[in-house]
Amino acid sequence: MVNSSQFPYFILSAYLDMGYLKYLYFVIVLMLYIVIVFANALLIVTICMKRSLHEPMYVFLCSLLVNQLYGSAGLFPFLLLQITSDTHTISRSMCFLQIYCLYTYASVEFCNLAVMSYDRYLAICCPLHYKARLTSNKVALFIALVWLYSLIKFLVTLCLNLRLTLCGNVTDRLYCNNYYVVKLACSVTTVNNIYGLFGTFLTVFVPMFPILFSYTKILRVCVVGSKETRQKAVSTCSPHIASLINFSFGCCFEIFQSRFNMTGVPRIIRIVLSLYFLTIQPIFNPVIYGLRLSKIRQMCRNQFCFQKL
């Protein structure tokens, strides 16, 4: 049995020989990262600086945008380095750190979207009790629970990975993936596999319960409510639904690719879709929320417009 200490790094074999095109890809990825940082930071600063936006919906959105910056920081600097490198390797410690960062990003994203759906449920179905049932202290508690729940949950995954004895260090990925690292183990991985499925359930399906509950109630109110109620529901819920669908699509493909044989799908499509939930969601949310929520759109416009003397 080969000791895992003989493999101080992992080889990422999914990178193709790009030749001089790697510099073009580097510029494209760098520009995408700059746009993501700028767009998310702009909305975060706008929400923090404008007291009129210190409402639960916008505070939850701010947490969502911070998570986008967190997840992007776990991928893009590493991706930029790998694109220009001739040897696509990553140290063992950095690999596990990246796994932890990207998996907690996904968990925080889903949990934050679940809390935001509950916020919309209270605003639309219980407008008279909204401020009483969702005070600033409760908002802070929800956000703290979302982050602590995700950060602590994946510490267990990290500890289970660190105890594994690995018999190889080549993984067919662009970045470190927990399931592919576990597949390299030559020690018993039963506990890892069971907790992996349990962790997937906690990450994906547990947040879906409050989301389904909230939108079932909202839909019922919209059916029997007035035209103004339906318009309010559409205007405030459509960005959330679009964000949820977009992120769920990327995560579902990543789960299917990890658990099932996807060799029938062209390699380039698998590569693009494996990056989807990490690259598209951080740019999708600022755009969709900035365009659909009129208060944010107006505030952002004022950031760049000077009043005429």
Side-chain angles (χ1 to χ4, degrees):
M1 183 176 291
V2 183
N3 194 289
S4 60
S5 62
Q6 295 183 12
F7 301 112
Y9 60 86
F10 291 96
I11 300 173
L12 305 171
S13 62
Y15 287 90
L16 306 174
D17 184 12
M18 298 175 289
Y20 289 109
L21 284 176
K22 66 182 181 182
Y23 300 109
L24 174 62
Y25 295 139
F26 176 86
V27 173
I28 293 173
V29 173
L30 177 61
M31 293 301 297
L32 179 61
Y33 187 38
I34 291 174
V35 170
I36 287 173
V37 171
F38 175 79
N40 285 275
L42 173 63
L43 264 64
I44 291 170
V45 171
T46 301
I47 293 171
C48 291
M49 294 185 63
K50 302 298 180 180
R51 293 188 61 85
S52 61
L53 296 180
H54 292 182
E55 301 174 8
M57 178 175 68
Y58 300 108
V59 176
F60 289 138
L61 175 59
C62 188
S63 174
L64 193 74
L65 299 172
V66 169
N67 186 51
Q68 251 93 184
L69 293 179
Y70 168 68
S72 299
L75 174 71
F76 278 93
F78 167 79
L79 199 60
L80 290 169
L81 182 64
Q82 291 296 324
I83 288 175
T84 56
S85 176
D86 295 325
T87 58
H88 306 294
T89 61
I90 179 173
S91 67
R92 189 171 183 268
S93 58
M94 287 302 297
C95 182
F96 287 127
L97 178 62
Q98 186 178 55
I99 290 173
Y100 182 75
C101 178
L102 299 184
Y103 276 63
T104 51
Y105 154 75
S107 179
V108 170
E109 191 79 3
F110 268 123
C111 291
N112 217 127
L113 289 170
V115 172
M116 292 174 74
S117 70
Y118 176 70
D119 167 74
R120 291 300 83 207
Y121 155 69
L122 291 179
I124 295 170
C125 301
C126 312
L128 299 179
H129 305 284
Y130 178 73
K131 291 186 178 180
R133 296 177 63 175
L134 204 58
T135 62
S136 58
N137 289 336
K138 288 184 179 179
V139 171
L141 178 62
F142 277 133
I143 293 176
L145 287 176
V146 163
W147 282 86
L148 287 175
Y149 167 76
S150 302
L151 294 174
I152 294 174
K153 178 177 61 179
F154 281 101
L155 276 177
V156 179
T157 302
L158 187 63
C159 292
L160 290 175
N161 286 349
L162 290 173
R163 71 179 182 83
L164 292 176
T165 300
L166 305 180
C167 291
N169 66 337
V170 180
T171 175
D172 188 24
R173 302 290 294 171
L174 294 177
Y175 55 89
C176 285
N177 179 286
N178 179 68
Y179 183 71
Y180 281 78
V181 170
V182 173
K183 286 172 64 176
L184 295 174
C186 48
S187 55
V188 178
T189 61
T190 305
V191 177
N192 294 74
N193 293 331
I194 293 175
Y195 186 79
L197 292 173
F198 180 65
T200 300
F201 176 82
L202 291 177
T203 302
V204 178
F205 294 103
V206 169
M208 288 302 294
F209 290 124
I211 292 173
L212 292 176
F213 169 82
S214 299
Y215 277 107
T216 300
K217 295 291 186 179
I218 291 172
L219 183 60
R220 184 179 301 173
V221 169
C222 290
V223 170
V224 300
S226 63
K227 182 180 179 180
E228 289 74 16
T229 301
R230 289 192 289 271
Q231 289 177 341
K232 178 183 178 181
V234 171
S235 63
T236 60
C237 293
S238 54
H240 179 267
I241 294 174
S243 176
L244 179 63
I245 293 174
N246 181 68
F247 190 68
S248 299
F249 168 77
C251 288
C252 284
F253 181 85
E254 183 63 13
I255 293 172
F256 291 153
Q257 184 171 222
S258 298
R259 299 291 175 175
F260 303 102
N261 185 8
M262 303 288 287
T263 54
V265 180
R267 183 182 180 85
I268 188 65
I269 295 179
R270 283 186 281 131
I271 290 175
V272 171
L273 290 180
S274 69
L275 293 170
Y276 186 91
F277 81 107
L278 293 167
T279 57
I280 303 302
Q281 185 75 357
I283 192 63
F284 181 84
N285 277 343
V287 171
I288 195 68
Y289 279 101
L291 292 176
R292 292 293 300 173
L293 298 182
S294 57
K295 291 181 70 173
I296 288 186
R297 186 170 64 250
Q298 183 61 40
M299 293 295 181
C300 289
R301 187 184 296 119
N302 293 339
Q303 298 289 333
F304 297 97
C305 298
F306 296 96
Q307 294 182 350
K308 294 182 179 180
L309 297 175

